[in-house]
Amino acid sequence: MNKSSADIRRAFQTFFAERGHEIVPSSSLVPANDPTLLFTNAGMVPFKDVFLGREHRPYQRAVSSQRCVRAGGKHNDLENVGFTARHHTFFEMLGNFSFGDYFKRDAIQYAWAFLTETLELPAERLWVTVYEEDDEAAAIWLDEVGVDPSRFSRIGAADNFWSMGDTGPCGPCSEIFYDHGPEVPGGPPGTPEEDGDRYVEIWNLVFMQYDRGANGALTPLPKPSIDTGMGLERIAAVVQGVTNNFDIDLFRNLVDAAARLAGTDDRQGSSLRVIADHIRACAFLVVDGVLPSNEGRGYVLRRIIRRAVRHGYKLGIEEPFFWKLVEPLIEEMGDAYPELPANRALVERVLSQEEVRFRETLEQGLRLLAEDLEHLSGDTVPGETVFKLYDTYGFPVDLTADVAREQGLHLDMAGFEEAMTSQRERARAASVFRAEYGGAADFGGTTIFSGYDVTEDAAQVIGLYRD
Ligand code: ATP
Ligand code: MG
Ligand code: MG
Ligand code: MG
């Protein structure tokens, strides 16, 4: 069977609609009424208040294909993109939800039926994990579904116990993996080799059954609920018989479009993949009202755009190109997300403006970095260099880290923090000087890149990079 990503999305929604689930359209990437969360990073986010019992909907079962971003914030997969076969900054999460209606047994049976009957995946390729103490889920999988015990494992809380926060709804998970076969490096879940791409986690079932109190104690919820999430791109790779998400229909076309702009036939390098990944995140963030800026969500967007632009530059693309990928993206995703074509002009303008602006300093910055690296003795890029690139040339720290990683180097973050702190002190002194004497201040020889606010809180910048 060869289904397109769009076919799989539709098949998932139909499967659950036939089983009494309301089809709920994807919400915005900017969570409504939740300043604590940078971006919508899972299918359950728009239903958070429903799970908490604060909001009531006219249905108890829902199915969605939710657009998600995992860059910055609690889940940050930015550094993985282009390096693993399965991580994106932007992806779609297919999910079915029960708000106090069905629980473990049905959630497990539905998932298994969708994978093995609707998608016709061979059972012997699937691997299942449960939380180590969850005997109930283990019995359903082993005795009722009939999963082979040799492809079943119990996992600790780090991976298989989910909670919404320090307190509130929580519960064990069960994850379903697909085995891409021995040609792909990697080991089964729960082993030290699991970080490879052989066994790919495709679906995570969360059994919300406890309420965690302030003292840490777990009380059973009166109406346990279900939250599941399956990455559309990962399941599409499985169904389409490819071992890398970037080889699915949707990404192949985006990678091809980027390759045409770069005038290259080589599809294997990570730059094209990074660009194909980043155009989706950037376009959808703009559609959802985020604009490049120096803080918060806007700074995450800026970081992703600049990263993509740097990869384009590396491929030898001399003109602003990133905005030109909006059209091929609309071809792939415009039907499922009409808000994308509706905002086409805005998205193209924002992306091209940001690229034009960054290109003014990109080349010089890269040259400075290359010169500094020539004199490097160890494998650490000095904090001063990282800071100068950030401050004068508009290089987000993770972009510099990305360049450094290509050469097997890492960054001196403590040195960067120090440079940032002394810059702030100089700026403060200069503004006192300015207030006292009027006139232009001398910043001790440091040129201030106009795109940055020198008083920007160093902790915030570093926090954005590290989280
Ligand atoms: P992984 O362990 O592979 O990083 P995860 O456990 O962090 O995945 P969940 O939070 O359980 O992922 O999200 C539910 C599902 O969403 C995953 O099973 C996977 O199919 C998909 N998914 C998660 N992160 C990404 C990502 N960065 N890109 C694409 N799909 C993802
Ligand atoms: Mg993850
Ligand atoms: Mg996982
Ligand atoms: Mg998971």
Side-chain angles (χ1 to χ4, degrees), residues 100-157:
D101 187 7
Y102 62 87
F103 196 46
K104 263 178 221 186
R105 173 164 294 110
D106 286 338
I108 290 174
Q109 295 282 3
Y110 286 155
W112 193 253
F114 181 73
L115 294 175
T116 60
E117 292 164 26
T118 307
L119 298 183
E120 300 174 347
L121 301 183
E124 60 276 12
R125 287 281 189 144
L126 299 171
W127 186 296
V128 172
T129 69
V130 297
Y131 175 53
E132 56 195 2
E133 291 172 19
D134 194 354
D135 296 331
E136 185 189 358
I140 297 171
W141 279 118
L142 296 170
D143 305 338
E144 297 180 25
V145 174
V147 162
D148 186 334
S150 68
R151 288 192 308 278
F152 176 86
S153 41
R154 291 173 180 253
I155 304 277

Side-chain angles (χ1 to χ4, degrees), residues 41-43 68-70 75-78 80-81 84 86-94 159 162 173 175-177 194-195 199-206 228-235 245 277 280:
N41 55 19
C68 294
V69 163
R70 291 191 176 183
H75 293 276
N76 185 4
D77 287 330
L78 187 59
N80 285 326
V81 175
T84 72
R86 65 184 200 281
H87 287 104
H88 306 294
T89 53
F90 173 100
F91 63 100
E92 288 179 77
M93 200 185 281
L94 304 169
D159 277 315
W162 178 91
C173 307
E175 296 189 324
I176 306 172
F177 292 73
E194 77 164 314
D195 263 353
Y199 292 86
V200 171
E201 177 189 328
I202 50 176
W203 204 343
N204 197 343
L205 316 180
V206 179
T228 87
M230 172 157 67
L232 173 62
E233 301 76 5
R234 292 190 190 184
I235 189 65
N245 282 12
D277 173 88
R280 301 209 305 163

Side-chain angles (χ1 to χ4, degrees), residues 387 417-433 443 454-455:
F387 177 70
E417 273 170 66
E418 250 169 59
M420 175 78 92
T421 309
S422 52
Q423 165 71 305
R424 287 173 68 212
E425 277 158 14
R426 278 202 301 278
R428 203 174 298 120
S431 71
V432 171
F433 177 86
F443 281 76
V454 289
T455 61

Side-chain angles (χ1 to χ4, degrees), residues 19-262:
R19 286 156 184 80
H21 293 63
E22 175 89 7
I23 299 178
V24 179
S26 171
S27 294
S28 169
L29 288 170
V30 177
N33 313 320
D34 194 348
T36 64
L37 190 62
L38 203 52
F39 300 118
T40 300
N41 55 19
M44 61 77 60
V45 169
F47 300 112
K48 199 168 153 181
D49 283 345
V50 186
F51 284 119
L52 290 167
R54 291 186 193 139
E55 186 191 335
H56 294 279
R57 304 256 176 127
Y59 43 81
Q60 285 186 291
R61 301 174 170 214
V63 59
S64 65
S65 178
Q66 175 63 47
R67 55 184 184 269
C68 294
V69 163
R70 291 191 176 183
K74 186 174 165 224
H75 293 276
N76 185 4
D77 287 330
L78 187 59
E79 325 293 324
N80 285 326
V81 175
F83 292 92
T84 72
R86 65 184 200 281
H87 287 104
H88 306 294
T89 53
F90 173 100
F91 63 100
E92 288 179 77
M93 200 185 281
L94 304 169
N96 57 290
F97 307 93
S98 155
F99 310 116
D101 187 7
Y102 62 87
F103 196 46
K104 263 178 221 186
R105 173 164 294 110
D106 286 338
I108 290 174
Q109 295 282 3
Y110 286 155
W112 193 253
F114 181 73
L115 294 175
T116 60
E117 292 164 26
T118 307
L119 298 183
E120 300 174 347
L121 301 183
E124 60 276 12
R125 287 281 189 144
L126 299 171
W127 186 296
V128 172
T129 69
V130 297
Y131 175 53
E132 56 195 2
E133 291 172 19
D134 194 354
D135 296 331
E136 185 189 358
I140 297 171
W141 279 118
L142 296 170
D143 305 338
E144 297 180 25
V145 174
V147 162
D148 186 334
S150 68
R151 288 192 308 278
F152 176 86
S153 41
R154 291 173 180 253
I155 304 277
D159 277 315
N160 278 18
F161 197 90
W162 178 91
S163 48
M164 202 177 283
D166 295 337
T167 59
C170 57
C173 307
S174 180
E175 296 189 324
I176 306 172
F177 292 73
Y178 184 81
D179 177 4
H180 278 294
E183 315 78 64
V184 182
T191 66
E193 298 77 34
E194 77 164 314
D195 263 353
D197 286 317
R198 172 171 173 183
Y199 292 86
V200 171
E201 177 189 328
I202 50 176
W203 204 343
N204 197 343
L205 316 180
V206 179
F207 311 128
M208 261 183 237
Q209 67 184 107
Y210 304 111
D211 184 13
R212 195 193 297 274
N215 61 357
L218 298 177
T219 333
L221 286 171
K223 284 184 165 185
S225 290
I226 291 294
D227 153 31
T228 87
M230 172 157 67
L232 173 62
E233 301 76 5
R234 292 190 190 184
I235 189 65
V238 167
V239 169
Q240 295 174 13
V242 295
T243 56
N244 190 305
N245 282 12
F246 288 95
D247 292 329
I248 67 172
D249 54 340
L250 189 157
F251 270 114
R252 240 186 356 254
N253 294 336
L254 286 178
V255 167
D256 280 348
R260 274 195 302 278
L261 292 171

